[in-house]
Amino acid sequence: MQTIDHEAHQTADEQYDLLEEPHCLGLVGSPQGQEATSRRFFFWVKRDALVEETQLVYCDSVIANRRYRFYGIVEEVVRRSRKRSMDDEIDQADGDIDYDPPFESDGYTYARVSILAVEPRVLTPPRERSKVYLAGEREAAIAYAAGEIRPGRELPIGLIKNGGEPLAGAGLLDLDYLLGLNGGHLNVTGSTGRGTKSSFLLFVVWMLLHYCRELERLAPSQPDRTRVVPVIFNVKNYDLFFIDRQCKHFGPEHQADWLRLGVSDPRPFRNVTFYAPASKESGLPVYTRRSEGVIPYSWGLQDIIESALFRYLFAEEDASDPNFGALVLDVEAFLTREQRRADGSLVRTLSPSGPQTFQELLEWVNRRSNKRADGDNESEGKEGTQLSQNHHLQTWKKLYRRLFLLVSESSGVLRRHERQGRPLDVVRADTSDPLVIDLFSLAGMPEMQRFVVATIFRQLVEARSGSGVVSGLVYIVMLDELNRFAPRGARDPITQLIETVAAEMRSQGIILLGAQQQASRVSEKVIENAAIKVLGRTGSLELGTPVWRFLSESARERALNLRINEKLIIQDAFREPMLVRVPFPVWAMNAEEALSSLSATSDGQDDLIER
Amino acid sequence: MTRIGGLDFLKNNGARRVRNDQPRPWLIEEGNEVIVEEVREELLNYERSREHWAGIDVLSARPPVDWPWWPRRFVDGKNVGRTVAWLQTREGFPVPVRLAEIGAAALIDQAGLLRREYEAVERVVSLAVEGFPWDEVESFAAALGEHDLRLLPCHPSPMSYSFEQMRRAVQNRMQEEMDLLMRRALACNLQLPTLVDGRLEPCVGAFDQDSAPIVGLIKTHARVYLPSRELPLLYELEPGQRTPAFCIGGKLPLVTWYLRLNPLGSELPYWGLVRLEISRSFYEGFIGGDPRYIDYLSHIIYSYRCKNHSYGRAAISIYPIQRVEETLEALFTPNEMLVQRFYRYTNI
């Protein structure tokens, strides 16, 4: 489906494969200690040839009367003089750095190559003295299993690096791995402040939207064509509230990389819907540095009950307390009335016999916590829902304290005196432009942040599990700081929900684009279930954890030294991670980058002024 | 055409394997220093009279950059092999069979970079063939050829059935063949001043002794040419000093001198000393007997001295020759592998 006109955008000095003849780099050597195996081989570099780490190479060997082509990536380049020790090096010059020896050094260069693919498939090493050539786009595609992707299911994910600067065409992801058929989810790990995570995830979202729009254009009536609905959580500084603005640093020099990926006219995201928490008093969205187009979100008690979200209001340590957890479930059941529709589905409503607002609920719980259990009329709802008499008064008091704190601190997100708020509704029927939901405003209330995330996931789970499931529709949920929402070892309902999404919901069309600084601090289930893992520049401490044990040593070393726009893509079909350069984002990654300027308004607040 | 014997020649003649007798590399000059007549007085007085013999310092004799006799080519040979079997003539005399790899190479100095200009490597088998039918030997040689092995028939003179003499004879036969390869290496470019590792006499015929600027470098000293009176001078030479030049030679008249490359350490007295030789007619004719030529050449050789102390022969070698040796070593096949392959071919 995706047509990528690689050659049209290549420059001769960057792309070796424009050369008429293959560019021979050297010959395979397999002396003792550097034997070739089915996983790696060594080659010595011919004079005047430049070999760099991360270059893609190939060689042909005839083995048992059959010709095989080995594709590999240069893991390490070694230069060796003829001297057998540093003593000899020093002795040659007698310790004099100005000494000019009569002969030039007869040193040589050799490289270690990790084998990425062999055609036809065979698990054997190449033969010594096989000529090693620099790979071009065609070979790079084979090396990274592009041929195994079903036609039309390729998603360009960046430009494959072929050494320091040269490129080897588009790196392709298999959408069957990303969107659920063979696997799902994508997870990024990288140090903070390096543009490592959010910008890359947004790039993936952009490319997915581009892909779906093209499908829509080419086959609008195809019933099960892939559709995506990106749901993006903003967790830092309202940065993602400007992704519909042009980045002021984007210039013509950045255009070429997009062109190489088949995108001739990259633009910022369009028609983005921005959601921010409602403010306490007015119900308007909190201030996000955007002057327009932000929709407030909030929940009244009725919304909470109807969406079965009550249990998600409480923190992990409370939810894991069996007494408290039982009381919460009991209260939720007491407040809920369930009715079965004609189609068999259940509808939940707020029981009219109980509290109707959070304020009323607080008062009710307060009364319960100060009463003796016997002779309690409020224990039974109109429909006969019975509250258990076994809850201890202290548990009630605890519930009251937690609710009070939550309702008081949650500003306007939980509407205290109103039955209904403006709940987030992210359910769509077709490809949608991104929905950006702010969590940053709730930074001081981790419970509320987790509640909002849980609410979205629950909504998506229901949308994808019910009878009205739209064929081909995939919800793409982008969430940074996964370590906060699904920390390793946690057993709270929100972590469990995210784990359920990661483990079971990919086939039903909920795909998690997650990110964190340290994968080692995120639920194993979430990390393990990500079919595609991405590494940006990452610290050695993190890379030393068991999560990354499967990586080769050279890949780990590479991850330590990645540049801002470089990523290592890890997919099941790749024998070694694919190193790609990600195009410079055309959209603003924060307010300062947006093609707009900030100025102080008369009321002293910052606002955006269009240029 | 029916082959008579072929590779079974050895087996048919009762050949038996010989265990590994610790082969060691044969460098061109090793053990081949021809014992000559003691140098006559007048030949010793060639550069200076004996009364004025003293160490000559060449450190300060730096040649001009455009000096035309700067050695630009470096030639060396290698002969690695061992006696792998012995067989018996019809009369019952034991005959040794030697298998070896021989080769020669030349490196050329291209603006300070040493590049291979010539290389030749051959796998050879040699034995004294006098006691065997001609057609069987021919058949054996042809069959060996199919496996890239060349038979070097040896005709010891005088013919002897002493096993040790025959063993030495086949060694010499191979050495002659290696000398031939070296002569080819030398002859392929006579325009450039060339340094040969070893004596020049085996290379006679490969170059014009009147005009070709060829220098021989001898690293091991099977014989010292100086009378005992001059020996203390030899031992007392400081690094960068040489003896006065003197003349030697039989069919190739030579001018020669000793040069110390490295100080005498805890080694044998000759350690660190090399001997250089040039054609006398070239020196006298082309150079006009100018001793500056010898000084300059000595200075250059000294500056080329090998400084890799991890290289076993560093004290008596120069870097370009070390590189030729390494080149040849890389071109050679491990000897025991060849031996085992030979046993398989010949079924012994």
Side-chain angles (χ1 to χ4, degrees):
Chain A
M1 202 286 299
Q2 193 86 16
T3 305
I4 301 170
D5 185 5
H6 301 293
E7 292 204 358
H9 314 300
Q10 290 162 344
T11 55
D13 57 344
E14 283 185 335
Q15 303 299 320
Y16 286 106
D17 58 343
L18 288 181
L19 300 172
E20 285 179 7
E21 293 293 324
H23 188 68
C24 184
L25 298 173
L27 291 190
V28 174
S30 50
Q32 282 184 19
Q34 290 164 321
E35 296 85 352
T37 71
S38 58
R39 292 168 179 270
R40 67 166 198 189
F41 64 85
F42 294 83
F43 73 92
W44 58 263
V45 179
K46 75 170 185 178
R47 292 182 196 121
D48 304 326
L50 171 68
V51 172
E52 300 176 78
E53 191 184 314
T54 74
Q55 262 178 345
L56 296 166
V57 297
Y58 67 95
C59 68
D60 293 329
S61 286
V62 176
I63 303 167
N65 297 320
R66 192 166 182 193
R67 180 176 291 276
Y68 296 92
R69 178 162 286 188
F70 296 78
Y71 302 88
I73 182 169
V74 175
E75 282 192 337
E76 192 172 23
V77 187
V78 180
R79 179 74 186 176
R80 181 180 283 175
S81 72
R82 299 280 174 176
K83 305 291 181 287
R84 290 172 193 175
S85 70
M86 192 58 83
D87 299 6
D88 288 345
E89 299 275 5
I90 296 169
D91 289 347
Q92 183 192 42
D94 195 25
D96 178 5
I97 58 169
D98 296 320
Y99 173 73
D100 189 17
F103 296 99
E104 293 295 318
S105 169
D106 270 327
Y108 59 93
T109 303
Y110 69 93
R112 188 177 77 222
V113 175
S114 184
I115 295 173
L116 295 171
V118 188
E119 270 196 334
R121 283 191 182 197
V122 67
L123 298 174
T124 197
R127 293 297 165 92
E128 60 274 17
R129 301 176 70 180
S130 301
K131 279 188 175 176
V132 179
Y133 297 95
L134 182 66
E137 285 190 24
R138 196 168 57 83
E139 291 82 17
I142 297 168
Y144 286 111
E148 296 173 17
I149 303 175
R150 278 195 297 145
R153 300 292 287 170
E154 308 95 346
L155 183 76
I157 197 74
L159 294 157
I160 299 175
K161 297 284 306 263
N162 201 3
E165 284 302 323
L167 303 166
L172 301 176
L173 272 193
D174 187 345
L175 283 178
D176 286 345
Y177 274 91
L178 178 62
L179 298 184
L181 190 65
N182 296 331
H185 314 302
L186 181 148
N187 184 276
V188 187
T189 300
S191 304
T192 188
R194 301 275 308 171
T196 293
K197 297 166 294 186
S198 297
S199 60
F200 178 73
L201 291 179
L202 283 172
F203 170 72
V204 175
V205 169
W206 199 101
M207 293 304 289
L208 278 169
L209 279 171
H210 181 70
Y211 171 85
C212 291
R213 297 289 190 213
E214 282 293 295
L215 277 184
E216 195 177 341
R217 189 176 63 81
L218 296 171
S221 58
Q222 189 183 346
D224 56 352
R225 66 180 155 80
T226 302
R227 302 164 163 90
V228 293
V229 179
V231 179
I232 299 170
F233 288 102
N234 176 75
V235 295
K236 196 181 77 179
N237 292 338
Y238 307 115
D239 283 351
L240 306 186
F241 273 64
F242 301 90
I243 60 173
D244 58 345
R245 305 286 175 88
Q246 178 91 15
C247 174
K248 66 184 176 189
H249 303 306
F250 186 85
E253 70 276 18
H254 301 122
Q255 196 92 12
D257 282 357
W258 286 91
L259 283 170
R260 290 188 186 106
L261 295 180
V263 180
S264 57
D265 184 21
R267 288 163 183 257
F269 289 94
R270 287 178 291 181
N271 306 318
V272 184
T273 310
F274 296 99
Y275 295 98
S279 57
K280 192 172 185 177
E281 303 302 330
S282 64
L284 294 172
V286 296
Y287 177 65
T288 60
R289 302 179 78 181
R290 276 188 78 95
S291 57
E292 82 294 327
V294 181
I295 301 169
Y297 68 81
S298 60
W299 286 267
L301 185 60
Q302 182 179 329
D303 307 317
I304 297 287
I305 295 302
E306 285 179 356
S307 303
L309 299 172
F310 190 70
R311 75 196 71 170
Y312 298 109
L313 286 171
F314 301 98
E316 178 200 349
E317 54 269 31
D318 293 332
S320 56
D321 174 352
N323 294 331
F324 188 83
L327 178 57
V328 167
L329 288 174
D330 209 7
V331 170
E332 187 179 18
F334 177 76
L335 295 173
T336 305
R337 186 172 68 177
E338 288 187 338
Q339 288 178 309
R340 193 168 293 280
R341 283 178 174 159
D343 64 357
S345 61
L346 274 178
V347 179
R348 297 162 58 96
T349 55
L350 180 63
S351 171
S353 61
Q356 298 298 294
T357 64
F358 275 109
Q359 181 60 36
E360 289 175 19
L361 179 63
L362 270 174
E363 290 164 4
W364 179 76
V365 173
N366 190 31
R367 286 200 299 277
R368 293 288 315 174
S369 63
N370 289 311
K371 279 184 179 176
R372 289 179 52 207
D374 49 1
D376 179 13
N377 295 331
E378 287 183 305
S379 296
E380 192 172 333
K382 276 187 178 172
E383 289 75 25
T385 309
Q386 188 72 41
L387 264 176
S388 169
Q389 301 298 313
N390 294 328
H391 302 300
H392 197 278
L393 284 181
Q394 290 305 319
T395 314
W396 279 103
K397 285 183 187 296
K398 181 177 178 180
L399 176 61
Y400 175 77
R401 290 195 301 273
R402 295 290 185 272
L403 262 181
F404 180 82
L405 203 63
L406 196 65
V407 174
S408 304
E409 282 191 344
S410 66
S411 305
V413 180
L414 297 180
R415 307 307 295 176
R416 189 166 188 157
H417 301 287
E418 297 145 48
R419 289 185 72 202
Q420 288 179 289
R422 297 185 66 174
L424 286 165
D425 179 12
V426 297
V427 176
R428 300 289 187 275
D430 204 342
T431 295
S432 159
D433 288 305
L435 315 172
V436 176
I437 299 165
D438 178 54
L439 293 178
F440 176 66
S441 307
L442 306 174
M445 293 168 282
E447 285 80 13
M448 282 313 297
Q449 282 189 328
R450 291 150 66 96
F451 169 76
V452 175
V453 172
T455 302
I456 298 299
F457 276 123
R458 178 146 190 94
Q459 203 172 99
L460 299 182
V461 168
E462 285 188 355
R464 297 301 302 164
S465 312
S467 54
V469 173
V470 179
S471 176
L473 185 69
V474 178
Y475 288 95
I476 306 293
V477 182
M478 177 180 147
L479 178 59
D480 202 347
E481 308 292 351
L482 266 179
N483 47 310
R484 271 161 48 191
F485 300 101
R488 175 160 297 211
R491 302 304 314 151
D492 63 294
I494 298 175
T495 302
Q496 286 178 357
L497 186 61
I498 295 177
E499 286 179 346
T500 303
V501 168
E504 299 167 19
M505 297 308 292
R506 63 152 172 105
S507 57
Q508 295 181 52
I510 302 175
I511 297 301
L512 181 62
L513 302 190
Q516 63 285 316
Q517 287 181 46
Q518 295 165 293
S520 59
R521 298 203 168 184
V522 175
S523 157
E524 294 98 326
K525 261 190 184 175
V526 174
I527 300 297
E528 279 300 308
N529 278 290
I532 297 162
K533 297 179 183 70
V534 179
L535 265 175
R537 186 167 180 153
T538 305
S540 56
L541 197 62
E542 169 63 10
L543 289 168
T545 60
V547 178
W548 303 109
R549 198 172 287 160
F550 70 94
L551 283 180
S552 65
E553 194 176 332
S554 61
R556 280 199 290 265
E557 282 175 10
R558 207 165 296 144
L560 283 171
N561 298 299
L562 290 175
R563 291 155 76 173
I564 283 178
N565 59 353
E566 292 175 346
K567 299 286 175 287
L568 283 175
I569 312 290
I570 302 154
Q571 187 182 294
D572 285 352
F574 302 163
R575 285 170 74 166
E576 280 289 318
M578 177 166 68
L579 176 61
V580 296
R581 185 168 90 193
V582 182
F584 192 84
V586 65
W587 54 86
M589 283 302 297
N590 53 53
E592 286 69 32
E593 283 184 1
L595 261 185
S596 337
S597 63
L598 292 168
S599 68
T601 51
S602 55
D603 61 358
Q605 284 193 308
D606 288 343
D607 204 353
L608 284 168
I609 308 294
E610 293 293 328
R611 272 182 184 160
Chain B
M1 177 180 157
T2 309
R3 176 172 292 173
I4 307 162
L7 286 173
D8 287 338
F9 167 77
L10 295 183
K11 191 180 169 189
N12 295 343
N13 287 285
R16 301 172 193 186
R17 294 185 183 189
V18 172
R19 66 173 174 80
N20 185 349
D21 62 351
Q22 299 297 319
R24 59 195 178 99
W26 271 67
L27 297 167
I28 177 175
E29 77 291 354
E30 199 165 61
N32 277 338
E33 191 83 329
V34 177
I35 297 172
V36 296
E37 299 284 327
E38 189 166 306
V39 179
R40 299 194 305 272
E41 179 85 11
E42 65 272 23
L43 296 179
L44 213 55
N45 290 339
Y46 184 72
E47 186 179 2
R48 291 184 185 182
S49 62
R50 288 183 70 182
E51 293 73 35
H52 297 101
W53 265 50
I56 302 170
D57 197 335
V58 297
L59 290 177
S60 56
R62 186 180 297 273
V65 177
D66 58 351
W67 193 56
W69 310 116
W70 207 294
R72 297 290 180 201
R73 293 178 74 237
F74 305 90
V75 175
D76 195 5
K78 198 175 177 77
N79 174 359
V80 180
R82 71 171 176 95
T83 303
V84 293
W86 62 274
L87 63 167
Q88 284 176 292
T89 62
R90 300 286 193 283
E91 296 79 21
F93 295 112
V95 175
V97 180
R98 184 176 173 85
L99 172 70
E101 204 163 25
I102 57 173
L107 296 188
I108 188 165
D109 173 2
Q110 293 176 337
L113 292 166
L114 291 169
R115 294 287 175 257
R116 192 155 75 203
E117 184 193 41
Y118 173 90
E119 89 278 350
V121 176
E122 283 193 63
R123 293 166 185 175
V124 289
V125 177
S126 186
L127 74 158
V129 296
E130 299 295 348
F132 302 100
W134 172 84
D135 53 349
E136 286 185 26
V137 174
E138 276 293 293
S139 168
F140 181 50
L144 285 175
E146 291 173 9
H147 296 283
D148 294 327
L149 291 164
R150 191 156 66 92
L151 181 67
L152 302 178
C154 180
H155 303 281
S157 178
M159 184 58 200
S160 163
Y161 283 112
S162 153
F163 187 82
E164 196 51 38
Q165 283 185 13
M166 273 197 286
R167 197 177 67 81
R168 226 170 283 145
V170 293
Q171 271 183 16
N172 290 341
R173 177 71 185 86
M174 287 182 164
Q175 193 68 18
E176 286 167 14
E177 206 63 20
M178 194 205 74
D179 290 343
L180 183 63
L181 295 181
M182 280 193 66
R183 283 202 292 273
R184 284 185 196 154
L186 183 60
C188 74
N189 187 348
L190 289 172
Q191 310 304 313
L192 290 176
T194 300
L195 186 144
V196 178
D197 186 32
R199 296 183 306 114
L200 291 184
E201 198 167 83
C203 298
V204 167
F207 66 96
D208 180 352
Q209 61 191 59
D210 296 330
S211 61
I214 312 293
V215 184
L217 173 79
I218 297 94
K219 298 188 297 240
T220 51
H221 311 284
R223 172 177 173 86
V224 177
Y225 292 85
L226 298 178
S228 51
R229 191 178 128 190
E230 272 70 33
L231 285 180
L233 168 66
L234 197 59
Y235 304 144
E236 288 163 10
L237 284 177
E238 293 292 324
Q241 284 190 332
R242 69 172 178 90
T243 62
F246 54 98
C247 293
I248 59 170
K251 56 183 177 181
L252 176 63
L254 298 162
V255 174
T256 187
W257 66 98
Y258 288 94
L259 170 69
R260 183 170 287 283
L261 298 181
N262 279 287
L264 188 63
S266 53
E267 307 286 350
L268 293 171
Y270 304 125
W271 197 244
L273 274 176
V274 294
R275 187 168 63 80
L276 294 158
E277 59 185 33
I278 52 176
S279 159
R280 184 172 175 177
S281 63
F282 165 76
Y283 177 64
E284 291 175 354
F286 242 74
I287 305 298
D290 184 351
R292 279 182 303 175
Y293 173 88
I294 294 174
D295 287 338
Y296 287 165
L297 194 60
S298 300
H299 179 95
I300 292 167
I301 301 299
Y302 180 76
S303 70
Y304 285 0
R305 70 193 183 283
C306 199
K307 295 175 182 174
N308 293 3
H309 292 154
S310 49
Y311 172 57
R313 297 164 67 90
I316 51 168
S317 193
I318 61 173
Y319 179 71
I321 291 298
Q322 182 199 343
R323 290 292 301 123
V324 187
E325 286 177 8
E326 287 171 348
T327 297
L328 282 168
E329 191 173 335
L331 290 168
F332 275 35
T333 307
N335 187 249
E336 273 313 294
M337 199 171 99
L338 281 184
V339 172
Q340 295 306 320
R341 201 178 289 169
F342 179 76
Y343 287 153
R344 189 159 52 80
Y345 294 155
T346 53
N347 203 20
I348 61 172

